Amino acid sequence: DWWGAFRAVPQSGAGGARPLTAGTSYTVMVEVGAPSAEGSRTTSKPQSFTFSTYDPLTLSDHSCGYRGRCDPDGVFILEFNNRLDMKAFDKKHVRVEPELPGMKIDVYDERIVITGSKRARTVYKVRIDAAIRDLFGQTLGESTSMTFRVGDRLPELTLAKDGFAV
């Protein structure tokens, strides 16, 4: 096993270190004759490996309900491209208008799930604050909003265990 530590610097060698660009694939090349830190041996053949940096945090999708139907029993789901930092998450970073009685906000990896008592035939606006952060310390960068159009409640017939139906 071996390992290496790298510092990104401009190709000219001038200036200080610069951060790696997010969402980018890099190839590291080690040329023949590269010295070892442990002794006098050098590399006998070229070596290379590729790695990628994580993508900038973005809201990648949002949905409500099932099968494309958003009813009062559906949940609002916001999906991000990176896992969110659950320790840094603050429910104040999510706002819903009009108010959602009994609103509950849960975070699961890269997903925010919003539940509550939604009214039928109502348009809800969900606003996500720019300060939401992923596990890499990146923030969303700018606040974003989306709308959810809640339709009618689905007709339902429920039978109790004793066969009595209402």
Side-chain angles (χ1 to χ4, degrees):
D1 289 336
W2 62 275
W3 65 273
F6 299 92
R7 185 170 63 107
V9 296
Q11 284 189 347
S12 67
R18 62 181 177 180
L20 296 174
T21 304
T24 303
S25 179
Y26 291 91
T27 300
V28 175
M29 302 288 295
V30 179
E31 296 179 2
V32 171
S36 168
E38 288 96 23
S40 60
R41 292 183 64 185
T42 60
T43 56
S44 59
K45 58 184 177 181
Q47 300 173 31
S48 68
F49 65 91
T50 303
F51 69 93
S52 297
T53 54
Y54 44 81
D55 289 327
L57 179 63
T58 59
L59 177 69
S60 55
D61 197 13
H62 64 279
S63 61
C64 172
Y66 305 98
R67 298 182 186 162
R69 183 179 173 98
C70 186
D71 64 52
D73 295 325
V75 297
F76 298 155
I77 300 173
L78 313 175
E79 298 210 32
F80 295 83
N81 63 322
N82 295 335
R83 289 180 72 170
L84 298 175
D85 184 344
M86 290 189 247
K87 291 180 182 175
F89 182 76
D90 188 338
K91 293 180 181 188
K92 290 184 228 165
H93 291 151
V94 179
R95 282 184 262 139
V96 178
E97 294 175 6
E99 185 179 325
L100 198 58
M103 182 170 76
K104 183 177 177 196
I105 300 170
D106 292 303
V107 179
Y108 305 100
D109 296 328
E110 66 281 339
R111 186 173 291 133
I112 294 176
V113 177
I114 304 168
T115 57
S117 298
K118 291 177 271 325
R119 291 191 309 258
R121 296 182 295 278
T122 303
V123 175
Y124 288 91
K125 182 176 182 177
V126 176
R127 182 175 170 81
I128 303 298
D129 192 89
I132 281 192
R133 201 166 68 195
D134 67 14
L135 283 179
F136 308 113
Q138 302 178 112
T139 62
L140 198 52
E142 62 181 42
S143 296
T144 186
S145 298
M146 69 251 22
T147 57
F148 294 94
R149 297 181 190 287
V150 177
D152 290 321
R153 185 172 306 280
L154 292 172
E156 181 178 337
L157 174 64
T158 304
L159 291 174
K161 288 174 38 176
D162 61 5
F164 182 72
V166 177

